Amino acid sequence: MVNKVLVVVSLGVGFIVWRYWCQCSQPLKPPTLDLNEWWGPEHLKTTQDESIKPFKINFKPDMIKDLKDRLSRARKWTPPLEGVGFEYGFNSQYLEKVLQYWKDNYKFEAREQFLNKYPHFTTFIQGLNIHFIRVKPEVTQGVEVIPLLLLHGWPGSVREFYEIIPMLTEKRPDRNFVFEVVVPSLPGYGFSDGAVRPGLATPHIGVIMRNLMHRLGHKKFYVQGGDWGSITVSNMATLFPQEILGHHTNCPFVQQKSVMLKTLVGSIFPSLVVEQKYADRMYPLSKFYSFMIEESGYLHIQATKPDTVGVALTDSPAGLAAYILEKFSTWTVPEHKRLPDGGLTKKYTLDQLIDNLMIYWTSSSITTSMRLYSEDFSSKRRAMELDDVDIEAITSSACMASDGPAAGVLAPSLICSDAFILLHLQQYYNIFMGAVPAKHFDCVKLSPEWRRDNSIQVSAARYLDEMPVFGQLCLCENLHSLQLQPSRDVCSAYLSSVARRPGDGGDFLELIL
Amino acid sequence: MAHKTLFYIVLCVGLFRTDAIFFSDLSFAEIIKIYAQYYNEATVSDAELSETRNIADVVQQNDNLYKNLTCLIENFLKRYVPSSMPTLAQNKWWGEGPPYVDTSIRPYEIRFNRQVIDELRARLAYRKNFTRNLEGSANTYGMNRNLLNQVLDYWLNRYDFETRERYLNRFPQYITNVQGLDIHYIHIVPPPGSKKVIPLLMIHGWPVTNREYYAVYDFLLEPKNTNFVFEIIAPSIPGYGYSQPTYKIGLAPYQVGIIFKNLMARLGHQKFYIHAGDVGLWVGSHMSTIYQEDVLGLHTTTPYSAMPQTFVKIALGALNPTSLVDSRYVNRLYPLTMTLINLIESSGFFHMHATRPDTLGVGLEDSPSGLAAWLLAIYIQAANPNALKRDDGNLLQAYNIDDILDVLTIYWDSHCITTSLRFYAEFTAVLQDPTNIKLELTPTQVPYGALKFRYEVLYQPDSLLKNKYPNLVHSTTLDFGGHFSSFEYPDVIANSIYQAVEKMQNFYRTKAG
């Protein structure tokens, strides 16, 4: 009987694997999306407004007064359990200090001025007012200006990029190009309108962003994203391979079915999947999954009932602060959850953190921002099978490790998604900079035009990788970028380090070009 | 390890339902037809059946397979049943400061703090304008704004705090200190008479307090044609309502069970019956396992067994659902994929509570609207998940609004939302704890009564419940009602408790005789 069962079980597993593999190996074409799908109210459908309006962030006195009232009215918070830091969530003793600072020390006027230091605009696309920052560098002749779209994630905002914008828009001595950066708020985030009906997921955001770039006169451009921004730019690279010149992310991961399968295979034979020195970022899977379960409560509720949790966060600035800032603690360094202050100010200033909160609070956008989880996890979105379409645009990714000794028990598992790069690379056809499996790199097919473009692409994308650490100054990072988070000592762009190794793929690529 | 692996393999086989494909030479269409018969309640006509060759054979074959496999696994798992009960400290100190003994019993009346109530109303009056729901989304993305505003307006303008206070004080209440915590409980002693007095401990769930059973008490106290009457003891779980919370880590359900056992002993009841539901059943079930001599019977509205063989049988049951479940109720458990999807969609709140209660708690402590949304969404879902598609969520039809607002007011007045959420975190924290596992895996001989309402979260047939509770003496399956049946159908619960206790007494008589 036992033998019979074993035969049954192995046949069963074999069958499932076989069916799965068949599904994986079918080449997929990206779906066609309606490039003019209307997300705003029906009655605005006749509006033909393509103007680009200047915009200023405005902290109205009424709003500040109301906010301070709400911050002052707090009852005494429930004390944390004895000896507990952030393990049960945001520590209420430390919360009091943050709220105190927000109420008494945060300089609303000065911060408003700071937030307005870059030119902001809005424009009406597909029924929604889309807010964005656009910084166009002044250049001398011979210096090329390369358009770059920067997309933030949850619970971030355009504020993520304030420190990076100057690094990208000022010419460096060793480069003959600079970036023109376009930094939009995702629909439903900050000062961009949210959709009025269900369905606006990351592929649709990709369409809106592409239309935005077109309106600004950029038919071809580079993209960079983290968190939701990363998923969005990945979808853009899938949907518009002719328009996306290069795709850079600080949050690289793929969800193709074959990747899942390989990940499982790797749990038995890690060396088949991941380099030994990174194996502990990915395996054991059990550690990774238990970490994911512990960290993903917010995701679960946002993907199922965003409007429910949104009520408290819309009504209570304290609730909003606890909910958002908790992520800035555990996703920066997971071990920080053992600290009574969550290690928040180890990496950020309270001003930086509260700037980001203010963008959510003034625009009352927390609920609409959380709905993106529901939309992107919906069966309709999954049925598009975008994850299973191979990306033809050039992809580059920067991955950073979390702090050294802090890694401890949780870090290796949480960093796991880093290791997906290797899998990721195999799935992307035209990856530059090493690690490209030769069978996928079919240079014979490259047209001369592609080569010309590509030389800029390579420099531009390499420039991004060489940035001191792209994610480093990002104010906000998410689940997948925990590992991408700041640490000057340890963080290094994994891919560029691979490319810099002598004799590795980087040279190979340069030879071709 | 082996037992875990086997479990997962069987689960996979069951889930993918590849079974039938291996064991027959039926075409795929034929197999689909068989499943359609089980799952969709679609009756396949006799003519169709005769067309489909050997369907009956396959059913028979699958049924045999199911029986053989479950028998095999049950024998296998028997080796893993813990032989001895863990020894548990019966007097662990949960209070602050050094332990002391105070056995006094103090009468208690609920008096809403006027200042707190005034502030509550001010917060309700100055609540924010919440985010508009997506078109046509009703309650599917979470709490519907219009419905929420309707309830909040009622709470602000029409809910009569003084009348309700009187209502809440209808039953005699007391507070006594057990293991360092002041426990609030309702204690109803029947008037002296000729009938036998039976002590009944009633344990409430989340998000309620001992307020949950007010209507049930009334029905239990009504004279019945029985030879016994109930003496009701209904405590609030520590951290719920007016029972003091602990600030120490580790007050898991079985620890609460010890506290309640001590409470019963203080009231002079060595042996007693228990009725429990929802999170109260975690406590009740452990009490019946630890104190098998003293707990005379356990009655519940949320019956489930979490024994390993239960899960294995559920998975194997996919081979032939009617082997396991009466055909009338098959669709409450199968197809498993649907059950799991529904469970995932409705369990976001659980995930948040279990992982980051303190973060979520801040917003709910600060915003009565947020608290209301969080609780009301649960009430809507629990009464009938199909009602989520309706704007009104069937909320005000299914419940008496005052019942719900009593609970909300108690939660607000006692400031207990965060501590109530922490109970989930403690429940989850001990899932890996050997003591807890031992308790979970040990069947109890205490007689068991199950009342199964139509929309209860989990449905399990009696055969599965018997894995944990072999002496199941009472079971009723209903075609109406949801998870908060104590608000919806208090009379049904009271009747079921009477019936169950009668049967349990017969059980003891038979055993003795």
Side-chain angles (χ1 to χ4, degrees):
Chain A
M1 188 64 198
V2 173
N3 285 343
K4 202 176 166 189
V5 171
L6 282 178
V7 170
V8 171
V9 167
S10 47
L11 275 176
V13 172
F15 179 79
I16 294 162
V17 170
W18 177 67
R19 287 296 300 266
Y20 205 61
W21 192 255
C22 289
Q23 277 179 0
C24 300
S25 48
Q26 286 163 4
L28 282 168
K29 284 266 168 255
T32 331
L33 284 158
D34 175 2
L35 297 183
N36 293 305
E37 194 165 1
W38 194 257
W39 296 106
E42 284 295 333
H43 68 272
L44 293 177
K45 226 168 175 174
T46 47
T47 317
Q48 290 293 327
D49 180 3
E50 302 209 337
S51 63
I52 293 167
K53 303 186 187 74
F55 175 86
K56 282 238 177 289
I57 292 178
N58 187 0
F59 293 166
K60 294 191 186 95
D62 285 359
M63 183 276 292
I64 296 176
K65 187 182 172 300
D66 174 70
L67 170 62
K68 285 188 172 179
D69 284 350
R70 283 170 196 267
L71 288 170
S72 334
R73 75 186 183 181
R75 296 159 84 185
K76 189 148 172 40
W77 304 107
T78 304
L81 296 178
E82 289 166 15
V84 163
F86 268 52
E87 294 94 332
Y88 281 69
F90 206 101
N91 185 302
S92 58
Q93 279 164 0
Y94 183 64
L95 180 69
E96 268 175 48
K97 289 183 191 154
V98 174
L99 299 181
Q100 181 81 31
Y101 184 91
W102 194 358
K103 185 159 62 76
D104 300 330
N105 302 82
Y106 182 80
K107 306 220 164 14
F108 288 87
E109 274 175 37
R111 297 315 291 176
E112 181 190 60
Q113 252 175 17
F114 171 82
L115 289 172
N116 283 318
K117 76 186 242 190
Y118 301 117
H120 293 249
F121 305 91
T122 63
T123 190
F124 191 67
I125 301 176
Q126 295 172 250
L128 304 176
N129 275 309
I130 299 298
H131 160 255
F132 60 98
I133 290 171
R134 183 190 198 183
V135 182
K136 229 174 166 173
E138 303 266 320
V139 291
T140 51
Q141 223 181 1
V143 177
E144 195 165 356
V145 177
I146 294 179
L148 172 66
L149 176 74
L150 302 174
L151 289 185
H152 67 83
W154 189 93
S157 61
V158 292
R159 177 65 186 84
E160 281 181 35
F161 297 106
Y162 271 55
E163 283 78 3
I164 281 177
I165 289 172
M167 296 184 199
L168 294 169
T169 53
E170 280 161 25
K171 188 185 161 320
R172 302 194 156 194
D174 56 337
R175 302 285 172 191
N176 65 344
F177 63 85
V178 290
F179 291 105
E180 172 189 338
V181 294
V182 177
V183 191
S185 297
L186 300 180
Y189 286 67
F191 309 102
S192 285
D193 291 346
V196 302
R197 65 186 65 84
L200 182 65
T202 50
H204 311 95
I205 294 181
V207 170
I208 293 175
M209 293 307 158
R210 173 249 186 206
N211 289 346
L212 170 67
M213 290 305 271
H214 277 226
R215 186 166 298 174
L216 301 180
H218 303 305
K219 303 279 183 224
K220 295 189 173 192
F221 50 94
Y222 289 84
V223 290
Q224 141 68 24
D227 192 70
W228 280 124
S230 170
I231 297 172
T232 307
V233 294
S234 162
N235 287 333
M236 290 174 82
T238 310
L239 293 168
F240 310 111
Q242 304 305 318
E243 299 176 21
I244 307 299
L245 295 172
H247 159 211
H248 181 274
T249 172
N250 57 343
C251 177
F253 76 101
V254 284
Q255 306 185 60
Q256 294 185 317
K257 292 191 185 99
S258 56
V259 171
M260 308 286 181
L261 205 59
K262 284 177 192 169
T263 309
L264 282 178
V265 170
S267 65
I268 307 167
F269 310 106
S271 58
L272 289 180
V273 175
V274 58
E275 267 184 87
Q276 181 154 23
K277 61 176 168 172
Y278 300 118
D280 66 336
R281 298 190 185 188
M282 202 166 164
Y283 299 106
L285 280 183
S286 57
K287 250 185 195 174
F288 172 67
Y289 283 116
S290 53
F291 177 79
M292 287 293 286
I293 288 171
E294 193 192 327
E295 281 301 319
S296 61
Y298 82 99
L299 183 144
H300 195 163
I301 194 72
Q302 290 172 196
T304 51
K305 301 284 180 279
D307 290 15
T308 300
V309 63
V311 172
L313 308 186
T314 306
D315 200 37
S316 158
L320 183 73
Y323 200 81
I324 287 184
L325 297 187
E326 179 215 294
K327 300 291 167 253
F328 282 84
S329 163
T330 41
W331 289 346
T332 298
V333 178
E335 284 302 298
H336 281 176
K337 78 170 182 181
R338 309 212 183 286
L339 304 175
D341 66 353
L344 270 181
T345 49
K346 280 183 195 288
K347 303 286 179 184
Y348 314 105
T349 65
L350 284 181
D351 278 339
Q352 282 180 315
L353 295 172
I354 295 175
D355 284 349
N356 186 49
L357 288 181
M358 284 301 292
I359 290 179
Y360 277 92
W361 182 259
T362 48
S363 57
S364 200
S365 63
I366 185 69
T367 306
T368 47
S369 77
M370 294 189 297
R371 281 183 190 155
L372 181 51
Y373 288 79
S374 292
E375 302 300 1
D376 221 58
F377 285 98
S378 71
S379 48
K380 210 171 147 198
R381 154 78 170 87
R382 276 182 278 123
M384 291 169 79
E385 295 194 309
L386 268 175
D387 298 316
D388 283 314
V389 181
D390 291 335
I391 295 183
E392 290 184 32
I394 279 201
T395 298
S396 162
S397 36
C399 281
M400 289 139 226
S402 170
D403 276 55
V409 184
L410 290 173
S413 49
L414 94 111
I415 283 166
C416 164
S417 47
D418 264 20
F420 282 10
I421 304 162
L422 276 182
L423 306 168
H424 179 109
L425 290 176
Q426 286 173 10
Q427 296 307 323
Y428 289 171
Y429 279 127
N430 301 329
I431 289 163
F432 84 108
M433 285 200 170
V436 183
K439 58 178 177 176
H440 283 315
F441 199 90
D442 196 352
C443 58
V444 183
K445 283 187 191 160
L446 301 183
S447 63
E449 191 195 348
W450 192 92
R451 285 190 183 211
R452 197 195 61 78
D453 275 358
N454 208 37
S455 63
I456 308 169
Q457 281 179 30
V458 170
S459 348
R462 177 170 289 178
Y463 173 66
L464 284 173
D465 263 353
E466 285 172 5
M467 291 290 298
V469 164
F470 201 77
Q472 181 156 346
L473 294 160
C474 286
L475 179 60
C476 160
E477 286 311 336
N478 192 331
L479 185 66
H480 312 290
S481 19
L482 298 190
Q483 60 274 26
L484 316 180
Q485 266 303 321
S487 153
R488 258 169 224 284
D489 327 319
V490 184
C491 295
S492 66
Y494 167 56
L495 261 189
S496 50
S497 72
V498 171
R500 277 190 218 108
R501 281 203 309 247
D504 212 316
D507 300 352
F508 163 71
L509 192 86
E510 271 163 26
L511 280 177
I512 297 174
L513 296 167
Chain B
M1 188 59 206
H3 135 230
K4 222 172 171 182
T5 315
L6 185 67
F7 167 61
Y8 283 118
I9 290 173
V10 171
L11 193 71
C12 286
V13 174
L15 279 182
F16 285 86
R17 286 178 251 138
T18 44
D19 41 80
I21 299 165
F22 296 128
F23 284 92
S24 72
D25 52 356
L26 294 183
S27 73
F28 193 64
E30 284 166 333
I31 290 159
I32 292 289
K33 225 173 223 172
I34 299 172
Y35 279 113
Q37 207 180 346
Y38 297 141
Y39 294 152
N40 302 335
E41 297 173 85
T43 39
V44 181
S45 72
D46 287 347
E48 273 177 304
L49 271 176
S50 62
E51 269 174 30
T52 326
R53 64 212 156 85
N54 56 28
I55 277 191
D57 288 351
V58 175
V59 171
Q60 188 57 49
Q61 213 170 8
N62 280 346
D63 191 40
N64 291 343
L65 181 69
Y66 168 78
K67 281 176 183 150
N68 289 339
L69 283 177
T70 44
C71 176
L72 178 84
I73 286 157
E74 210 148 2
N75 287 334
F76 182 79
L77 288 175
K78 263 184 193 152
R79 285 189 281 164
Y80 290 87
V81 172
S83 48
S84 66
M85 197 62 69
T87 23
L88 297 165
Q90 297 294 310
N91 272 307
K92 201 168 162 22
W93 184 253
W94 296 103
E96 287 171 87
Y100 55 86
V101 178
D102 174 7
T103 55
S104 66
I105 290 172
R106 292 158 274 160
Y108 185 83
E109 282 206 342
I110 295 177
R111 288 271 167 264
F112 294 142
N113 181 325
R114 295 299 152 205
Q115 203 187 334
V116 168
I117 297 302
D118 287 347
E119 204 193 20
L120 162 68
R121 299 174 79 152
R123 287 184 197 210
L124 286 174
Y126 294 101
R127 63 181 186 262
K128 282 268 211 169
N129 189 13
F130 302 120
T131 311
R132 182 195 289 267
N133 298 100
L134 292 173
E135 284 170 10
S137 70
N139 284 282
T140 53
Y141 278 65
M143 192 68 208
N144 183 283
R145 178 172 76 163
N146 294 340
L147 174 61
L148 176 66
N149 278 330
Q150 200 184 333
V151 176
L152 295 179
D153 285 339
Y154 184 95
W155 199 7
L156 174 64
N157 300 318
R158 290 171 55 203
Y159 178 81
D160 185 341
F161 289 85
E162 282 169 29
T163 317
R164 295 314 293 177
E165 207 176 59
R166 279 200 295 281
Y167 176 83
L168 291 173
N169 289 319
R170 282 170 65 215
F171 299 109
Q173 302 160 59
Y174 305 89
I175 279 189
T176 190
N177 193 288
V178 184
Q179 295 172 251
L181 299 178
D182 278 350
I183 303 297
H184 170 244
Y185 63 98
I186 286 165
H187 190 177
I188 309 169
V189 184
S194 56
K195 286 184 178 179
K196 190 178 166 197
V197 176
I198 287 184
L200 175 68
L201 173 70
M202 299 184 75
I203 315 175
H204 64 85
W206 185 92
V208 255
T209 64
N210 49 20
R211 166 67 184 83
E212 175 175 3
Y213 297 123
Y214 269 46
V216 183
Y217 307 143
D218 283 332
F219 284 107
L220 283 176
L221 295 173
E222 271 179 13
K224 292 271 189 325
N225 187 19
T226 48
N227 61 353
F228 59 85
V229 286
F230 287 116
E231 174 180 341
I232 298 166
I233 297 104
S236 285
I237 296 171
Y240 284 68
Y242 301 101
S243 278
Q244 193 185 351
T246 183
Y247 292 105
K248 292 185 163 46
I249 296 178
L251 188 62
Y254 70 86
Q255 298 285 12
V256 175
I258 294 172
I259 292 179
F260 285 174
K261 179 73 171 65
N262 287 335
L263 171 71
M264 291 303 278
R266 181 165 305 166
L267 301 180
H269 299 302
Q270 202 53 44
K271 300 195 172 202
F272 49 89
Y273 287 84
I274 300 178
H275 168 79
D278 194 68
V279 304
L281 184 67
W282 300 342
V283 178
S285 166
H286 280 320
M287 288 180 81
S288 341
T289 312
I290 304 171
Y291 310 109
Q292 301 204 13
E293 293 300 309
D294 294 336
V295 177
L296 296 172
L298 175 65
H299 178 269
T300 180
T301 49
T302 47
Y304 72 91
S305 150
M307 303 283 279
Q309 59 265 49
T310 305
F311 295 121
V312 172
K313 282 184 193 166
I314 290 176
L316 287 175
L319 283 169
N320 188 23
T322 42
S323 310
L324 182 64
V325 191
D326 187 313
S327 58
R328 277 174 300 170
Y329 308 122
V330 160
N331 62 350
R332 296 193 190 183
L333 188 55
Y334 294 99
L336 271 189
T337 32
M338 276 315 292
T339 309
L340 286 179
I341 288 171
N342 288 339
L343 212 56
I344 289 170
E345 289 212 343
S346 61
S347 62
F349 81 95
F350 190 112
H351 199 163
M352 241 358 243
H353 295 184
T355 54
R356 295 289 181 266
D358 288 17
T359 297
L360 178 66
V362 172
L364 308 188
E365 273 179 34
D366 194 34
S367 160
S369 317
L371 179 71
W374 193 254
L375 268 51
L376 292 174
I378 305 271
Y379 282 110
I380 294 172
Q381 165 105 27
N384 181 350
N386 302 326
L388 292 175
K389 296 189 196 102
R390 288 169 46 178
D391 282 342
D392 69 3
N394 201 36
L395 176 76
L396 304 178
Q397 291 84 333
Y399 303 100
N400 175 354
I401 188 168
D402 282 329
D403 283 342
I404 308 269
L405 288 176
D406 282 352
V407 173
L408 282 168
T409 311
I410 291 175
Y411 268 58
W412 186 264
D413 181 55
S414 63
H415 204 163
C416 76
I417 184 67
T418 306
T419 50
S420 77
L421 303 182
R422 282 179 187 160
F423 194 46
Y424 286 78
E426 300 299 357
F427 167 78
T428 318
V430 293
L431 287 180
Q432 308 281 337
D433 173 352
T435 309
N436 195 67
I437 292 176
K438 228 170 187 184
L439 291 175
E440 283 289 358
L441 294 186
T442 308
T444 169
Q445 301 304 319
V446 168
Y448 189 65
L451 181 56
K452 304 172 189 176
F453 283 93
R454 172 67 186 90
Y455 297 107
E456 190 43 74
V457 187
L458 282 175
Y459 172 85
Q460 290 185 351
D462 292 349
S463 58
L464 294 185
L465 296 174
K466 282 180 181 167
N467 294 150
K468 170 81 184 175
Y469 308 100
N471 293 323
L472 184 135
V473 296
H474 170 76
S475 170
T476 313
T477 307
L478 302 168
D479 288 326
F480 54 86
H483 183 72
F484 294 108
S485 42
S486 36
F487 286 146
E488 288 185 90
Y489 300 101
D491 51 334
V492 177
I493 296 183
N495 288 337
S496 178
I497 292 177
Y498 266 106
Q499 287 166 10
V501 170
E502 268 184 332
K503 287 178 190 168
M504 287 163 186
Q505 291 197 315
N506 286 337
F507 169 84
Y508 286 114
R509 240 172 263 136
T510 320
K511 208 170 144 192

